[in-house]
Amino acid sequence: MARDVSDTTPIGARSELVEWIASGEKPRGTWRLGTEHEKIPFYRADSAPVPYDGGRGIRALLEGIQERTGWAPIIEGNHPIGLADEAGGGAISLEPGGQFELSGAPLATLHDTARETAQHLADAKAVGESLGIGFLTLGMSPLWSRAETPVMPKARYRIMTDYMPKVGSLGLDMMYRTSTVQVNMDYASEADMVKKLRVSLALQPIATAIFANSPFTEGKPNGYLSMRSNIWLDTDRDRTGMMAFAFEDGFGYERYVDWALDVPMYFVKRDATYHDVAGASFRDLFAGKLAQLPGERATRSDWANHVSTLFPEVRLKRYLEMRGADVGNAEHIVALSAFWTGLLYDEAALDGAWDLVKSWSAEERERLRADVPKQALSAHIAGRSVQDVARDALALSHAGLQRRGYRDDSGRDETRHLTYAEEIVASGRTQAERLLELYHGAWNGSVLPAFKECVF
């Protein structure tokens, strides 16, 4: 998230929280997709992590991209912590360990997404090369310990860093050493949101499997194909997971709001100050009874910022966020967006996807979520392999993209952006498995070649 929201309008009733989510509804003709992707920077000379400060640090990287693009700086204290494309709607932000994130603009087609991704990577690489910085196409830092990983100067991250060890054993690894790609999708109505949320929650482990790409930690195989996904299993159970309640009768905006109200807060922001209220209740802030800030009442900013600190496999804000995939190369990034666009933005594909998953029980979905980080396409659900389910889901997505009918300047439709994922599923071998073969073969038991071969 590039910057926290600033809207001091007081919240007077729970119904306003529901209306805030409902305000995200859009007619089909205005649906857009927004792709977010993180990448881990490193020094090309010695494969070392990149600190924030210094003449060749993250700050210098931000300042160089600002000069190149003209995007406006996002400042916290006296530190640039991101950039905003105030015309197009995109932004660059910093994750806790220096992961460099593009929050893409809302775009109409996957062709637009591919162009945006290519332009951003060209900008990042051009400035990075002048500083001796490269960027990894991996879902987790493959070499450095947590202690070796730099810390970005953002107040919300200091609060989260203090809180994470109280609620899980791997939250700090999530913050500082992982890197993801996600796509944000629109909905037309509450019923449309519910259907899309259920389909995408059930299929999120399938996406995790297809795009598994984080097999190394601290210089050796970690025993997983998506260690990033495994880390989320022990980060903070209050705010993560598969949201079984979303499949219950009567689920909708109100039920999601009630869940969000019960998730502990991290912070309350007033002016430029982040007040550490980690573990406190939003309901208390809503009622003006928050012990840490007596008399303060919730504002729209507080709600928007709080919702941004919930991390289920699919997050509902005023759009839906698909959160299950490791980052990879440019084709990988756009293929993730293609997978979900074909499934969720075509009615026949969405119906077919629901038919694919509707018989799965909550227990089966949870078991799949737990098995996929290690087994990926070899995991099973309801008597079928994930590879088989992924093949069906990709066929539905492919047909959905064909029916959308958006063509690029060469006359090609959006299905071309799905090829990367289709080839992985057809082969039965994830990118993580291919990297492990290299580690045990041509790389001679070292991850250092990843800093030359797994780069943008």
Side-chain angles (χ1 to χ4, degrees):
M1 185 174 181
R3 64 175 112 190
D4 293 311
V5 175
S6 295
D7 183 343
T8 60
T9 305
I11 298 171
R14 171 179 167 276
S15 61
E16 295 177 36
L17 307 180
V18 176
E19 290 164 4
W20 183 85
I21 293 177
S23 70
E25 295 176 0
K26 297 178 177 66
R28 175 181 290 272
T30 65
W31 288 353
R32 298 291 182 265
L33 57 136
T35 306
E36 302 184 28
H37 44 94
E38 304 164 359
K39 50 213 156 290
I40 297 169
F42 66 96
Y43 285 124
R44 290 182 176 274
D46 58 4
S47 304
V50 180
Y52 179 80
D53 288 313
R56 297 191 303 121
I58 296 290
R59 179 173 186 153
L61 181 63
L62 277 173
E63 290 171 344
I65 293 179
Q66 178 192 350
E67 183 176 351
R68 180 179 172 92
T69 64
W71 288 16
I74 301 170
I75 306 293
E76 183 175 312
N78 62 349
H79 297 108
I81 58 166
L83 300 170
D85 177 6
E86 296 180 336
I92 291 171
S93 60
L94 303 179
E95 291 298 303
Q99 304 96 315
F100 212 69
E101 179 177 13
L102 174 71
S103 296
L107 301 172
T109 76
L110 291 162
H111 308 310
D112 297 329
T113 298
R115 282 189 289 269
E116 176 191 61
T117 301
Q119 183 60 60
H120 168 72
L121 292 176
D123 292 336
K125 287 164 67 175
V127 177
E129 285 173 3
S130 71
L131 301 171
I133 293 172
F135 300 92
L136 289 169
T137 60
L138 294 170
M140 184 168 183
S141 165
L143 182 61
W144 317 314
S145 69
R146 195 188 298 162
E148 293 171 318
T149 303
V151 177
M152 298 299 104
K154 296 178 68 170
R156 66 183 283 159
Y157 293 158
R158 289 195 292 272
I159 292 169
M160 291 171 66
T161 297
D162 290 342
Y163 183 68
M164 283 293 180
K166 301 174 184 177
V167 291
S169 66
L170 298 176
L172 296 180
D173 288 311
M174 178 278 291
M175 290 178 63
Y176 288 97
R177 298 204 285 179
T178 66
S179 192
T180 187
V181 55
Q182 63 190 58
V183 58
N184 305 326
M185 313 291 293
D186 289 322
Y187 49 85
S189 65
E190 185 171 29
D192 187 46
M193 179 280 292
V194 171
K195 189 172 185 179
K196 287 175 175 172
L197 180 63
R198 288 172 174 170
V199 164
S200 54
L201 274 170
L203 288 177
Q204 208 64 216
I206 307 301
T208 299
I210 296 170
F211 296 95
N213 190 32
S214 49
F216 305 120
T217 305
E218 295 185 21
K220 59 184 182 296
N222 51 38
Y224 293 86
L225 300 177
S226 177
M227 183 61 175
R228 184 206 60 82
S229 182
N230 181 67
I231 283 169
W232 278 106
L233 292 173
D234 194 9
T235 289
D236 181 347
R237 294 184 185 276
D238 286 333
R239 67 186 72 239
T240 64
M242 293 289 284
M243 294 198 301
F245 66 86
F247 295 84
E248 296 172 357
D249 290 344
F251 174 77
Y253 298 146
E254 290 193 29
R255 181 67 181 87
Y256 190 86
V257 164
D258 287 339
W259 173 71
L261 283 169
D262 287 328
V263 175
M265 289 191 294
Y266 286 148
F267 62 85
V268 173
K269 186 181 181 185
R270 289 293 179 267
D271 299 320
T273 300
Y274 287 79
H275 297 274
D276 185 348
V277 300
S281 165
F282 195 95
R283 291 184 188 274
D284 286 345
L285 178 63
F286 190 55
K289 297 178 180 179
L290 191 65
Q292 296 94 326
L293 295 170
E296 283 290 328
R297 289 185 174 271
T299 67
R300 290 183 183 175
S301 287
D302 295 328
W303 177 244
N305 292 335
H306 176 58
V307 170
S308 78
T309 69
L310 313 181
F311 306 123
E313 290 295 287
V314 181
R315 179 161 62 188
L316 173 62
K317 298 199 301 196
R318 286 183 283 190
Y319 46 86
L320 290 166
E321 298 181 1
M322 312 296 118
R323 300 177 49 81
D326 295 350
V327 81
N329 64 21
E331 287 181 306
H332 177 122
I333 289 167
V334 183
L336 187 278
S337 291
F339 178 74
W340 290 117
T341 300
L343 286 174
L344 301 186
Y345 278 5
D346 176 80
E347 198 63 36
L350 182 59
D351 287 341
W354 177 238
D355 287 340
L356 191 62
V357 305
K358 65 184 180 183
S359 65
W360 298 352
S361 68
E363 292 75 18
E364 286 173 322
R365 292 191 299 269
E366 290 291 347
R367 190 179 310 116
L368 179 66
R369 172 67 184 87
D371 289 346
V372 156
K374 183 170 286 190
Q375 300 174 30
L377 296 172
S378 298
H380 284 76
I381 183 167
R384 303 187 69 203
S385 72
V386 166
Q387 184 181 6
D388 284 342
V389 176
R391 189 179 292 114
D392 289 348
L394 282 166
L396 290 167
S397 178
H398 189 107
L401 293 176
Q402 278 186 320
R403 284 188 290 267
R404 272 167 59 85
Y406 291 110
R407 298 188 177 276
D408 64 13
D409 294 340
S410 300
R412 297 172 295 179
D413 68 22
E414 292 175 306
T415 59
R416 72 183 183 90
H417 300 295
L418 204 57
T419 301
Y420 173 92
E422 291 171 330
E423 290 177 347
I424 285 174
V425 172
S427 72
R429 293 169 61 246
T430 62
Q431 178 64 11
E433 288 165 299
R434 295 171 185 176
L435 293 176
L436 286 166
E437 289 177 7
L438 288 170
Y439 174 87
H440 292 295
W443 292 3
N444 294 315
S446 171
V447 300
L448 289 177
F451 290 87
K452 295 187 182 299
E453 298 185 33
C454 300
V455 297
F456 285 103

